[in-house]
Amino acid sequence: MRPALFLLFPQCSGVRRCTLTVTRQCRWTWNPRVIISGTAIQSAFQYATISGFAKFQNNMITPSLRKECLRTITSRTSKSDISSPLELLGREYPRDNYTNVSSKILSLVGKNLHNQKYHPLWLIKERIKEHVYKEYIGRFGNPLFSVYDNLCPIVTTEQNFDRLLIPLDHPSRKKGDNYYLNHTHMLRAHTSAHQWDLMHSGLDAFLVVGDVYRRDEIDSSHYPVFHQMECVRLFSSHELFAEVDNRDGCQLFEQGFHTPKKQETHTLEAMKLVEFQLKHTLSKLITHLFGEGLKIRWVDCHFPFTHPSFEMEIEFQGEWMEVLGCGVMEQQLVNSAGAHDKIGWAFGLGLERLAMILYSIPDIRLFWSESELFLKQFRVSDINEKVQFQPISKFPFLSNDISFWLPSEGYLENDFYDLVRSVAGDIVEEVSLIDQYKHPNQSFAHISVGCKKNRPSAVMTQLLHTIESDPQSFFEIEYSASSSPGQFTKSAITVIY
């Protein structure tokens, strides 16, 4: 086996925790006082730098780096790619320096798991629809809320950010966190991107369900595509105060002050009623999903498009878990959509989070499985029937290490995650940073790539090698050799094995 090494260099005063992985018979000198040896074992040892010990050097490890090939990896779109437009859902989008969507992500657009009958996400959606249709009836006996579950996931940056009052310098706009087709179009980061358009069309009560896209790490609870449900309810003065005594004296708006509890344009009584309606609606919904006796608490938080804002947490199996975010809609947003005489609330929840809790699904990537062993567990005669997921794989977890230099600029962690997903799909279950080393001119990272052994070992070895040595399909790569011992090309990634 080939050991993956985390390297220590002279004057490594920036190291806080160093890891050495040994996979064959060896005898490494780790520091002047400790000798470590092993026979066909894998051992991880930690070393914390202390004052006066910064000049430590392991002479047995550093020579291995001198033989390696260096390759540059950046998150920029190559010039050759910009010339060809990006085709998606029957339309073409010109590429520019904002384009960062990978082929892996493009292959997931249009899957619409929430609309596939008997899929666990479809079950959650249908259970919520059933509850809303039964509980909230309009004046003429029709459902009060309309449902939109097939809106196009390609939106403009104006829809995704500007119309929701998200500032230009807000961190949620970062290229490292979103999938941009170009600087004006993107894959929606939340179903809130459709709020303004639906309110502008005259709707007062609606649900939006769809897939959303965010660049994220690789583990069992994160995936770059997941599914949200957005709900909006607007009230006129007559609707909000219908059951209030002396309602003729009640007003929705005033010219007041912005406080932690309300917006400057809302009266206190209007805000309190909207908040009550919101929390009452959500409490009934969560009770419908989880059953009676559920403990609920509300945590104050902040969202750019609601104030006041809250997160709902439920006590489930002895732990408090956040399940959704909500709040009183910013009146500026409501007014800009043409509903000047109304006030409202909105909430958004993740379908995967609810399904993982309700059905005991341990890994978010299972929702993308096409295996009958997974899907057949959710073919039920009644959508409210309890389902307990049964594991479909009992293979052990395997871990492989990769160590590399980080570029001085242009590299984001999410770039590496997208590379792994593009090469390995969902076979890789976890990518985690084990350690990093800070050199005055360069940074060095040691990353663990883990997966379940449901493939032959030869296949897994080739897969890891591809991740290490063939990232040209995703990154702009330049190859060069180190010119002398200890001297390395700037902005380079080096894989040691």
Side-chain angles (χ1 to χ4, degrees):
M1 297 179 65
R2 302 176 302 177
L5 308 177
F6 180 82
L7 308 182
L8 282 178
F9 294 91
Q11 300 178 344
C12 58
S13 57
V15 177
R16 291 303 176 198
R17 185 171 68 85
C18 307
T19 302
L20 172 65
T21 303
V22 182
T23 56
R24 62 187 177 190
Q25 185 172 357
C26 60
R27 185 177 178 85
W28 300 110
T29 302
W30 186 242
N31 66 48
R33 295 183 295 270
V34 179
I35 302 296
I36 300 167
S37 62
T39 304
I41 61 169
Q42 181 173 346
S43 305
F45 304 98
Q46 296 180 2
Y47 166 77
T49 58
I50 58 176
S51 176
F53 201 62
K55 295 184 178 181
F56 169 75
Q57 177 181 9
N58 191 317
N59 295 319
M60 298 184 67
I61 302 178
T62 51
S64 65
L65 186 59
R66 300 170 188 168
K67 303 176 183 178
E68 298 303 325
C69 179
L70 302 179
R71 54 186 187 269
T72 301
I73 139 182
T74 74
S75 60
R76 299 188 300 272
T77 304
S78 67
K79 294 180 181 179
S80 61
D81 285 339
I82 290 180
S83 60
S84 60
L86 190 155
E87 295 185 17
L88 185 60
L89 299 181
R91 288 190 58 186
E92 291 188 349
Y93 299 87
R95 300 175 189 258
D96 57 25
N97 60 357
Y98 254 72
T99 307
N100 66 350
V101 61
S102 67
S103 58
K104 169 65 176 179
I105 299 303
L106 291 176
S107 71
L108 301 177
V109 177
K111 294 287 188 180
N112 294 330
L113 301 183
H114 60 287
N115 288 336
Q116 295 181 17
K117 196 170 184 179
Y118 299 118
H119 190 280
L121 299 182
W122 177 85
L123 290 178
I124 296 292
K125 182 195 73 171
E126 291 300 310
R127 291 185 66 187
I128 294 175
K129 279 176 55 179
E130 179 188 63
H131 169 76
V132 169
Y133 283 165
K134 287 182 178 179
E135 290 290 328
Y136 306 99
I137 307 299
R139 286 185 297 172
F140 304 105
N142 58 305
L144 179 65
F145 286 87
S146 52
V147 178
Y148 300 86
D149 59 8
N150 200 29
L151 298 178
C152 181
I154 302 171
V155 297
T156 64
T157 53
E158 181 182 10
Q159 289 173 300
N160 200 80
F161 299 121
D162 300 334
R163 289 178 179 174
L164 296 174
L165 312 179
I166 298 175
L168 290 174
D169 60 350
H170 196 274
S172 66
R173 291 178 178 257
K174 289 191 302 183
K175 182 179 176 182
D177 292 337
N178 298 284
Y179 287 106
Y180 286 92
L181 306 185
N182 51 43
H183 73 284
T184 59
H185 289 81
M186 63 186 298
L187 296 175
R188 63 188 170 210
H190 44 202
T191 46
S192 304
H194 303 288
Q195 270 189 16
W196 191 93
D197 293 312
L198 293 173
M199 288 190 297
H200 188 66
S201 70
L203 294 175
D204 291 341
F206 56 84
L207 285 88
V208 180
V209 191
D211 44 347
V212 298
Y213 300 78
R214 298 181 193 173
R215 302 182 73 187
D216 218 332
E217 57 197 273
I218 297 177
D219 60 31
S220 61
S221 59
H222 295 88
Y223 201 71
V225 188
F226 57 101
H227 298 75
Q228 280 188 342
M229 174 176 285
E230 185 89 9
C231 186
V232 168
R233 174 77 167 99
L234 300 180
F235 300 88
S236 65
S237 178
H238 172 76
E239 291 170 324
L240 187 63
F241 298 118
E243 299 180 6
V244 175
D245 295 336
N246 302 319
R247 56 180 175 271
D248 292 338
C250 296
Q251 300 292 326
L252 293 178
F253 307 110
E254 67 176 8
Q255 294 300 317
F257 297 96
H258 190 281
T259 73
K261 297 296 183 182
K262 77 175 195 72
Q263 300 172 41
E264 61 273 17
T265 57
H266 294 162
T267 63
L268 183 61
E269 59 267 23
M271 189 282 300
K272 286 294 185 183
L273 271 176
V274 173
E275 180 183 336
F276 172 80
Q277 292 270 11
L278 168 63
K279 292 181 176 180
H280 180 67
T281 299
L282 287 172
S283 296
K284 289 176 66 175
L285 171 61
I286 295 300
T287 299
H288 168 72
L289 294 175
F290 288 88
E292 297 290 342
L294 189 70
K295 292 184 179 180
I296 296 173
R297 70 182 182 187
W298 302 92
V299 180
D300 293 340
C301 62
H302 171 75
F303 300 116
F305 33 85
T306 57
H307 180 75
S309 303
F310 314 96
E311 288 180 343
M312 173 194 268
E313 294 185 351
I314 63 171
E315 188 178 38
F316 187 75
Q317 295 181 348
E319 296 184 1
W320 286 100
M321 305 180 67
E322 182 260 316
V323 292
L324 58 85
C326 61
V328 179
M329 298 184 70
E330 282 284 354
Q331 196 59 39
Q332 181 183 346
L333 168 59
V334 177
N335 290 348
S336 68
H340 302 83
D341 59 342
K342 295 180 180 179
I343 186 175
W345 53 250
F347 72 78
L349 55 83
L351 296 183
E352 279 88 348
R353 177 178 286 269
L354 290 179
M356 290 175 77
I357 298 172
L358 285 167
Y359 304 138
S360 301
I361 298 174
D363 195 313
I364 193 171
R365 287 159 295 203
L366 284 168
F367 292 109
W368 294 89
S369 173
E370 296 179 357
S371 170
E372 272 296 300
L373 295 175
F374 174 76
L375 297 174
K376 71 179 183 180
Q377 298 187 41
F378 302 95
R379 295 197 182 104
V380 292
S381 57
D382 182 356
I383 60 174
N384 293 303
E385 183 179 329
K386 289 187 177 181
V387 178
Q388 182 75 20
F389 170 72
Q390 300 299 319
I392 59 177
S393 175
K394 297 182 180 179
F395 290 101
F397 186 83
L398 293 180
S399 178
N400 295 276
D401 293 350
I402 300 176
S403 301
F404 54 84
W405 288 106
L406 297 176
S408 58
E409 60 183 21
Y411 170 81
L412 302 169
E413 283 189 21
N414 283 336
D415 292 336
F416 185 75
Y417 299 145
D418 277 346
L419 166 62
V420 173
R421 286 192 177 100
S422 296
V423 172
D426 295 335
I427 295 175
V428 173
E429 294 195 348
E430 181 176 310
V431 174
S432 58
L433 179 66
I434 295 177
D435 230 325
Q436 57 185 346
Y437 157 76
K438 182 70 174 178
H439 186 272
N441 299 320
Q442 195 77 52
S443 296
F444 184 79
H446 183 189
I447 287 180
S448 173
V449 180
C451 56
K452 283 189 176 179
K453 190 179 178 182
N454 54 358
R455 301 290 191 282
S457 58
V459 174
M460 300 312 301
T461 300
Q462 181 60 38
L463 181 63
L464 181 64
H465 179 71
T466 303
I467 293 173
E468 291 176 348
S469 61
D470 191 27
Q472 293 98 319
S473 61
F474 189 77
F475 293 111
E476 183 177 330
I477 305 298
E478 298 174 3
Y479 286 90
S480 62
S482 58
S483 57
S484 63
Q487 183 175 345
F488 311 103
T489 302
K490 194 174 184 180
S491 300
I493 167 174
T494 303
V495 177
I496 310 300
Y497 57 108

